[in-house]
Amino acid sequence: ICRDAQGGVADESYCAHLPRPPESSACFSSCGQWSSREWSPCSVTCGVGRATRQVECSNYHHQVDESFCDQDERPSTEHECTAIPCPSEYQQRPNDQPYSPHNPASHPGHGSWNVPSADNQWRTGPWGGCSSTCAGGFQRRVVVCQDAEGRSTSHCDQRVKPAESKSCDSGPCPLWNYGIWGECTQTCGGGRRTRQVVCQRPNGQRLNDHNCDVLDKPPDMEQCSLHLCPGSTSWHRRPWKPCSVSCGRGTKQRGITCVYQNQTQMDEEHCSHLSRPRTQKACRAQGCPSWKANRWSKCSATCGVGVQNRDAYCRLKGTGWVREELCGSHNRPATAQPCQVTECLHHTWAAGEWQDCNATCGEGMRNRKVLCVGAELTPVQDALCDPSSCPALHQPCSRAPCYHMWITGEWSQCSASCGVGYQQRIVSCSMKPSSTLHPYDAQSSALSHPHCPEPPPPSTRQCLLWDCPQAAYWKVGPWSKCSQTCGAGVMERRVECLFSKGQPSKHCRPAERPESQATCRKRECQLLTSCREVQMIQGVRMDGEYYLKVKSRILQVCIYCAEMQTDFPKEYVTLRSGQTDNYSEVYGYRLLNPFDCPYNDSRRQDCDCRNDYSAAGYTLFHKVRLDIISLRIMTTDLKFSQTLFGRPVPFATAGDCYSAAKCPQIYCPKPLPFPGKNNCEKPVNYNKLFISMELLIICDV
């Protein structure tokens, strides 16, 4: 696809001057496995010869065509071999001791621990591939010392040991080449200019871009003419926020920003020549409830210090009495206060004569009157006298022994199931200590048999099982507005259980509770398929989340529409998890010897390594660009990203050039940002990028 500088799809004619990338490439997956036979004997009896072996491609131990196996991994079918030295290879020099194959210790320069002989020969493996596809590299092969029976030994002549490595050159590496910048698309207000960037060899041969390092590619587009155009800025006023208080007087706040003519936010200094709109204004909500108090009562004492009381309640203007918690307890008016009318005169207690005993026989009580008097023995209120010095009002007394007694029955059940009721019992008078009791009615005994003690026991009394509950009922409020302006939504109302006086209650029947929620639908929603349709059909010019229909399915997906002030808005997907979980990293350190494992099998910066990888970087992503037609992520769009260090790294990209050795484990600083992926599962290949990507679209309702 040919795309413009903003990432949008353009006609192919605009890309005619650039090399077209291939649309397909060859790939291979091996279905078989190479197996090799034993090496043949060396082709010579002395000196250097060659040994061969048979190599087959097999699948489950059955031989198949060699095309089913990977040709790059085919084992070698022959290698050099060394037999015993030929007689002409060693010439005896003057003053040298003759070398005897039967006496290995006589070989010059070797001790008894490493004695060469004709039976110990160097064996070499095939040369490996070149370490670089271009410029200078090296090849390695295996060189081992074996005896005549093919077993490893250390008794070979070190002077004739074959080389283990050699240099190789695959030609010069291709490099990025670029031309001069073109003219800017605008003279002010921010434009763009482009240049041609191609991948080519030093001889001028042009190659596809993937032959060069994409992370080192010079930019082919940059901004220009960034200075503002005259009269192109203005103040953008955001909506007023709700009032700061729920009742009474408060303030409203709003935000203002300095924007360019395409609604791009600028520094406020660019709007300093314009009058600044106000960001705060007064507001008034509904009236606040307040405490009201009745008049003080009379003083509880006619003289001296007393107490005055009054009632206080919470009231809302136009409504009347409301719950006390709406007014708060911090400013509740006092409901009691001390009071003093006049100084009290001296008062004393005056006791009268004792009355007759209230029992006709046995033990009883007698009473007398006690008055509080002032000057000239004038009766006054009892509160004016000291209660601690008040004379006794009652005194026990006794009469002749009783020969009759009151007999009482069991109390009956209470006449009311709740609240105040009454109980009754039978009361009768009988003689004692006679063995036979003669019961009498309580009323007749007082007349015809005055021998029982007075007063008789009560035959009725009040009873209270528990207080009767007040009448409770369900109270409902008005329905709220529908939660959706189109399609199916929900509306709510307040439902509460109250007593008849308006106080909260828990005695309402749950089965009779009215519904507090109900579904609602105003009109069917019109689903759009792109941010451009949202802009053109609904007239929306603000960036934000919108519901779109994807791939002609009845599926609403949250898409973030950006650059809605331009003619080419773009679609992005917001990454809902934490921003530290969505990152791309290219590690910059690499070992000086890439064929060594690091210390303790971990990637460390204090190893023998250098930090000179120019493509290293670490980038966090908040949103990723989505092609709404093909549903592919544009990994190189960095609009909603943040590069913490190094160069920007495309989304879903990771890599390192740390070690080429097959170490037991590799460095794992933290899990990759892709669910279920872990770069510790296998070693990372040298000079190779590994890429993994998953996309999850989540809608927040």
Side-chain angles (χ1 to χ4, degrees):
I1 298 175
C2 180
R3 298 188 179 276
D4 56 20
Q6 301 298 323
V9 178
D11 189 82
E12 292 188 4
S13 60
Y14 292 100
C15 295
H17 62 287
L18 298 175
R20 184 184 180 95
E23 297 180 354
S24 63
S25 62
C27 58
F28 176 78
S29 298
S30 61
C31 300
Q33 187 174 4
W34 293 108
S35 61
S36 55
R37 303 290 179 89
E38 295 293 333
W39 289 103
S40 67
C42 195
S43 61
V44 296
T45 58
C46 69
V48 178
R50 303 194 70 80
T52 61
R53 64 178 176 180
Q54 187 176 359
V55 176
E56 298 176 348
C57 179
S58 59
N59 186 5
Y60 292 101
H61 307 290
H62 295 285
Q63 184 174 358
V64 295
D65 189 84
E66 292 188 355
S67 61
F68 288 94
C69 292
D70 190 353
Q71 298 297 327
D72 294 337
E73 296 182 359
R74 177 186 175 96
S76 61
T77 58
E78 63 178 21
H79 70 86
E80 291 182 355
C81 57
T82 305
I84 60 176
C86 294
S88 60
E89 183 173 352
Y90 295 98
Q91 298 293 334
Q92 185 173 355
R93 293 177 296 177
N95 301 327
D96 283 352
Q97 294 294 330
Y99 168 65
S100 173
H102 304 287
N103 184 17
S106 64
H107 194 285
H110 290 77
S112 60
W113 61 273
N114 188 12
V115 180
S117 69
D119 294 333
N120 302 320
Q121 300 295 329
W122 292 106
R123 299 289 189 266
T124 60
W127 287 106
C130 192
S131 62
S132 176
T133 58
C134 62
F138 58 88
Q139 292 176 285
R140 297 174 67 103
R141 67 177 178 181
V142 176
V143 179
V144 297
C145 180
Q146 296 179 344
D147 58 15
E149 297 181 0
R151 293 173 299 193
S152 296
T153 181
S154 59
H155 300 270
C156 290
D157 190 354
Q158 295 292 330
R159 296 175 300 176
V160 296
K161 180 178 180 180
E164 293 182 293
S165 63
K166 68 177 180 178
S167 60
C168 55
D169 191 356
S170 302
C173 294
L175 300 173
W176 291 107
N177 194 6
Y178 51 88
I180 61 174
W181 290 108
E183 295 183 359
C184 192
T185 57
Q186 295 182 199
T187 59
C188 65
R192 300 190 306 273
R193 61 177 184 175
T194 59
R195 64 179 176 182
Q196 186 177 14
V197 178
V198 296
C199 176
Q200 60 182 190
R201 296 185 185 276
N203 60 3
Q205 179 187 1
R206 291 179 57 172
L207 302 175
N208 291 331
D209 286 358
H210 62 78
N211 291 292
C212 294
D213 190 350
V214 66
L215 297 177
D216 290 335
K217 182 177 181 179
D220 58 357
M221 187 274 293
E222 69 176 6
Q223 294 183 336
C224 54
S225 300
L226 299 179
H227 59 280
L228 298 178
C229 299
S232 57
T233 58
S234 62
W235 288 107
H236 174 68
R237 301 166 176 82
R238 299 187 181 277
W240 289 104
K241 295 181 180 179
C243 196
S244 60
V245 296
S246 58
C247 67
R249 295 183 179 274
T251 56
K252 282 185 177 182
Q253 306 282 345
R254 71 173 177 185
I256 61 171
T257 54
C258 180
V259 297
Y260 192 51
Q261 59 185 3
N262 60 355
Q263 300 302 309
T264 303
Q265 185 172 345
M266 309 291 293
D267 293 335
E268 292 189 356
E269 60 187 24
H270 296 294
C271 293
S272 58
H273 62 287
L274 303 173
S275 59
R276 182 185 181 89
R278 60 174 180 168
T279 59
Q280 178 176 315
K281 70 176 181 178
C283 59
R284 181 182 183 88
Q286 63 178 358
C288 295
S290 59
W291 288 104
K292 296 295 180 183
N294 295 329
R295 293 184 178 181
W296 290 104
S297 63
K298 292 183 179 180
C299 193
S300 61
T302 58
C303 68
V305 178
V307 177
Q308 283 180 303
N309 297 314
R310 66 176 178 180
D311 294 330
Y313 58 94
C314 182
R315 187 188 71 170
L316 179 62
K317 186 177 181 180
T319 302
W321 182 90
V322 293
R323 299 193 308 273
E324 292 187 356
E325 56 264 23
L326 297 179
C327 290
S329 59
H330 61 284
N331 58 349
R332 181 188 177 96
T335 56
Q337 69 176 9
C339 59
Q340 182 173 1
V341 183
T342 58
E343 291 293 335
C344 291
L345 302 175
H346 181 66
H347 299 89
T348 58
W349 295 105
E353 295 293 334
W354 289 106
Q355 298 178 357
D356 294 336
C357 192
N358 62 352
T360 56
C361 66
E363 300 296 329
M365 295 292 293
R366 61 179 182 177
N367 304 322
R368 66 177 176 180
K369 291 185 177 181
V370 176
L371 301 175
C372 179
V373 297
E376 299 178 357
L377 300 180
T378 303
V380 295
Q381 294 181 1
D382 291 347
L384 300 178
C385 291
D386 185 7
S388 61
S389 61
C390 180
L393 299 177
H394 311 285
Q395 186 182 59
C397 58
S398 60
R399 292 289 183 94
C402 293
Y403 297 100
H404 296 77
M405 62 180 297
W406 294 105
I407 303 299
T408 58
E410 295 292 334
W411 289 106
S412 65
Q413 291 185 352
C414 193
S415 61
S417 60
C418 67
V420 179
Y422 295 92
Q423 289 176 295
Q424 295 181 343
R425 66 179 177 179
I426 298 175
V427 178
S428 60
C429 181
S430 291
M431 296 177 59
K432 69 174 187 177
S434 172
S435 59
T436 303
L437 299 179
H438 302 280
Y440 294 94
D441 182 75
Q443 296 180 356
S444 62
S445 65
L447 299 176
S448 58
H449 296 278
H451 302 291
C452 277
E454 295 293 335
S459 59
T460 60
R461 70 177 181 182
Q462 288 185 345
C463 55
L464 176 63
L465 298 179
W466 54 72
D467 293 333
C468 292
Q470 300 183 32
Y473 67 98
W474 290 106
K475 180 181 179 182
V476 297
W479 288 106
S480 65
K481 293 182 179 180
C482 194
S483 60
Q484 300 292 337
T485 58
C486 66
V490 177
M491 57 183 183
E492 299 178 341
R493 65 178 177 180
R494 185 175 183 180
V495 178
E496 54 185 345
C497 180
L498 301 176
F499 284 125
S500 57
K501 294 184 179 180
Q503 297 176 338
S505 172
K506 297 181 180 179
H507 299 286
C508 295
R509 295 183 179 181
E512 299 176 356
R513 190 181 191 276
E515 294 293 335
S516 60
Q517 290 186 339
T519 59
C520 55
R521 179 185 293 271
K522 288 193 172 182
R523 58 183 177 84
E524 293 298 330
C525 296
Q526 181 184 13
L527 295 181
L528 306 176
T529 60
S530 67
C531 294
R532 180 62 173 173
E533 289 187 3
V534 174
Q535 183 189 67
M536 298 298 295
I537 297 177
Q538 296 185 352
V540 178
R541 308 289 293 184
M542 296 297 293
D543 295 355
E545 301 274 355
Y546 297 95
Y547 287 100
L548 300 181
K549 182 171 66 175
V550 177
K551 285 288 184 181
S552 301
R553 302 174 186 170
I554 306 303
L555 175 65
Q556 294 185 10
V557 178
C558 281
I559 298 295
Y560 185 87
C561 294
E563 301 183 15
M564 292 290 284
Q565 303 83 15
T566 66
D567 294 337
F568 301 99
K570 301 176 182 177
E571 292 83 12
Y572 290 84
V573 176
T574 301
L575 303 177
R576 300 296 182 186
S577 57
Q579 65 177 15
T580 57
D581 296 332
N582 299 284
Y583 67 93
S584 297
E585 180 186 14
V586 173
Y587 192 65
Y589 285 84
R590 49 182 171 177
L591 292 169
L592 295 180
N593 184 358
F595 294 96
D596 284 349
C597 285
Y599 173 76
N600 198 22
D601 299 329
S602 62
R603 192 168 72 178
R604 297 161 55 98
Q605 298 179 7
D606 56 353
C607 292
D608 224 2
C609 54
R610 60 178 179 266
N611 184 15
D612 61 348
Y613 194 34
S614 60
Y618 189 94
T619 303
L620 295 176
F621 289 87
H622 313 292
K623 293 178 175 63
V624 292
R625 175 82 181 279
L626 174 67
D627 188 331
I628 201 69
I629 299 177
S630 63
L631 293 185
R632 296 179 64 87
I633 296 297
M634 301 180 184
T635 60
T636 57
D637 192 304
L638 304 175
K639 181 178 181 65
F640 294 99
S641 67
Q642 178 184 6
T643 299
L644 299 185
F645 62 83
R647 300 192 60 175
V649 183
F651 181 72
T653 301
D656 62 29
C657 293
Y658 197 65
S659 175
K662 292 185 178 180
C663 304
Q665 63 184 20
I666 68 168
Y667 170 70
C668 186
K670 48 188 158 181
L672 286 178
F674 314 114
K677 301 292 187 275
N678 193 328
N679 63 344
C680 289
E681 293 178 356
K682 58 183 179 179
V684 179
N685 291 332
Y686 175 69
N687 204 16
K688 181 184 291 185
L689 296 179
F690 59 92
I691 301 175
S692 177
M693 179 178 65
E694 286 189 10
L695 170 64
L696 181 62
I697 302 179
I698 302 177
C699 253
D700 283 348
V701 178

